[in-house]
Amino acid sequence: MLEVKHLETFYGKSQALFRVSLNVEASEIVALVGSNGAGKSTLLKTISGLLRPASGSVFFEGRDITGHPSHAIVDMGIAHIPEGRRLFPNMSVLENLEMGAYCNRTWKQREKTLERVYGLLPLLKVRQNQSAGTLSGGEQQMVAMGRGLMSSPKLCLIDEPSSGLAPVMVDEIFEIIVSLREQGLAVFLVEQNVPSTLEVADRAYVIENGSVVLSGGSKELLSKESIRKAYLGL
């Protein structure tokens, strides 16, 4: 479904990604793990069109989408759920969700899509008229995920969904991510919570200093001593 080939991205003169290659198949969760500043968020922004790569290619369902504008990439079926939620705090939960359906492909179907989102995230229906900025961190993360799902994506790019959340809410967020796979969506998940991430992911890539240094099945990587020492403290 998603294929990244030899991707290189810069911030000004500083190179952030070095010939990154990876792939995500349909209906699987693929994790990207690494330390702060390793290039995880940069990669997601490059895939979703927020950053333009200096070289390399991004293919979605066999189509070259390298350098396409973000709105066009959303319309193709890729939703980017960013780190830090990035909600409109003075708008209601419902208004935030509707913002996710603004692409041409999904606007006419937004009412049906909204019911599907409420089915997956019932708390959002209860809170639909509440200002998003008054919600807890975990509730805001659910709104961010719901907003992404309002674009009826085939692939979700999810960036640090557990950041700043209480452990009980972290568990709930990961359960939601698993349910996305069960509904047939592909998920490319960026997380620093490596144990929980590798528990739910089918495969994973490890990125260091802008380069992919390891990849494999999640259980295989979890068993590697280098991963356990570097990311699990074991």
Side-chain angles (χ1 to χ4, degrees), residues 123-165:
L123 179 67
L124 300 187
K125 189 169 187 177
V126 176
R127 299 278 197 269
Q128 63 180 335
N129 295 317
Q130 188 171 335
S131 296
T134 65
L135 302 178
S136 69
E139 291 168 342
Q140 289 187 20
Q141 183 61 49
M142 289 185 184
V143 177
M145 296 180 74
R147 181 180 59 188
L149 294 173
M150 286 295 293
S151 67
S152 297
K154 302 174 185 177
L155 168 66
C156 291
L157 312 177
I158 307 180
D159 195 355
E160 302 285 4
S162 73
S163 178
L165 303 186

Side-chain angles (χ1 to χ4, degrees), residues 77-95:
I78 298 178
H80 186 171
I81 300 168
E83 181 181 9
R85 276 75 90 174
R86 305 293 182 90
L87 302 180
F88 300 95
N90 296 322
M91 293 169 59
S92 70
V93 167
L94 176 58
E95 289 168 334

Side-chain angles (χ1 to χ4, degrees), residues 32 34 37 41 57 64 99 140 145 165 172 202 219:
L32 181 69
S41 295
S57 303
D64 189 346
M99 290 299 291
Q140 289 187 20
M145 296 180 74
L165 303 186
E172 188 168 350
D202 300 293
K219 291 182 179 178

Side-chain angles (χ1 to χ4, degrees), residues 21 52 72 78 92 133 152 188 192 208 217 229:
S21 296
R52 193 175 187 89
I78 298 178
S92 70
S152 297
F188 189 35
Q192 289 193 63
E208 289 184 3
K229 285 184 176 179

Side-chain angles (χ1 to χ4, degrees), residues 10-23:
F10 286 74
Y11 288 103
K13 295 182 179 180
S14 300
Q15 188 166 356
L17 298 179
F18 297 82
R19 295 183 63 80
V20 171
S21 296
L22 50 80
N23 69 287

Side-chain angles (χ1 to χ4, degrees), residues 175-196:
E175 288 175 5
I176 293 169
I177 291 170
V178 170
S179 71
L180 298 182
R181 176 179 57 193
E182 293 171 350
Q183 294 183 14
L185 275 69
V187 177
F188 189 35
L189 174 62
V190 161
E191 256 293 344
Q192 289 193 63
N193 186 337
V194 178
S196 296

Side-chain angles (χ1 to χ4, degrees), residues 1-231:
M1 177 168 282
L2 176 72
E3 186 174 12
V4 174
K5 294 183 176 180
H6 310 305
L7 207 62
E8 298 198 330
T9 301
F10 286 74
Y11 288 103
K13 295 182 179 180
S14 300
Q15 188 166 356
L17 298 179
F18 297 82
R19 295 183 63 80
V20 171
S21 296
L22 50 80
N23 69 287
V24 179
E25 302 296 338
S27 301
E28 73 169 350
I29 299 173
V30 175
L32 181 69
V33 299
S35 59
N36 277 332
K40 304 186 301 296
S41 295
T42 299
L43 178 57
L44 293 195
K45 290 177 182 178
T46 305
I47 293 170
S48 66
L50 294 173
L51 293 174
R52 193 175 187 89
S55 61
S57 303
V58 179
F59 290 86
F60 180 61
E61 295 187 315
R63 178 180 179 181
D64 189 346
I65 64 169
T66 313
H68 280 49
S70 294
H71 67 85
I73 291 174
V74 172
D75 216 6
M76 292 174 197
I78 298 178
H80 186 171
I81 300 168
E83 181 181 9
R85 276 75 90 174
R86 305 293 182 90
L87 302 180
F88 300 95
N90 296 322
M91 293 169 59
S92 70
V93 167
L94 176 58
E95 289 168 334
N96 271 273
L97 293 175
E98 288 181 330
M99 290 299 291
Y102 255 85
C103 62
N104 295 330
R105 180 174 52 85
T106 57
W107 181 249
K108 291 181 179 180
Q109 303 296 322
R110 66 188 183 281
E111 294 298 332
K112 291 182 179 179
T113 308
L114 184 63
E115 288 307 311
R116 290 198 296 269
V117 169
Y118 283 158
L120 178 66
L121 303 165
L123 179 67
L124 300 187
K125 189 169 187 177
V126 176
R127 299 278 197 269
Q128 63 180 335
N129 295 317
Q130 188 171 335
S131 296
T134 65
L135 302 178
S136 69
E139 291 168 342
Q140 289 187 20
Q141 183 61 49
M142 289 185 184
V143 177
M145 296 180 74
R147 181 180 59 188
L149 294 173
M150 286 295 293
S151 67
S152 297
K154 302 174 185 177
L155 168 66
C156 291
L157 312 177
I158 307 180
D159 195 355
E160 302 285 4
S162 73
S163 178
L165 303 186
V168 64
M169 187 57 70
V170 170
D171 292 341
E172 188 168 350
I173 292 298
F174 277 101
E175 288 175 5
I176 293 169
I177 291 170
V178 170
S179 71
L180 298 182
R181 176 179 57 193
E182 293 171 350
Q183 294 183 14
L185 275 69
V187 177
F188 189 35
L189 174 62
V190 161
E191 256 293 344
Q192 289 193 63
N193 186 337
V194 178
S196 296
T197 301
L198 295 184
E199 284 294 328
V200 302
D202 300 293
R203 297 185 294 112
Y205 295 87
V206 180
I207 188 169
E208 289 184 3
N209 299 317
S211 298
V212 172
V213 294
L214 281 173
S215 65
S218 294
K219 291 182 179 178
E220 173 192 352
L221 290 179
L222 196 55
S223 69
K224 285 183 178 291
E225 186 176 355
S226 58
I227 298 296
R228 293 168 66 82
K229 285 184 176 179
Y231 300 108

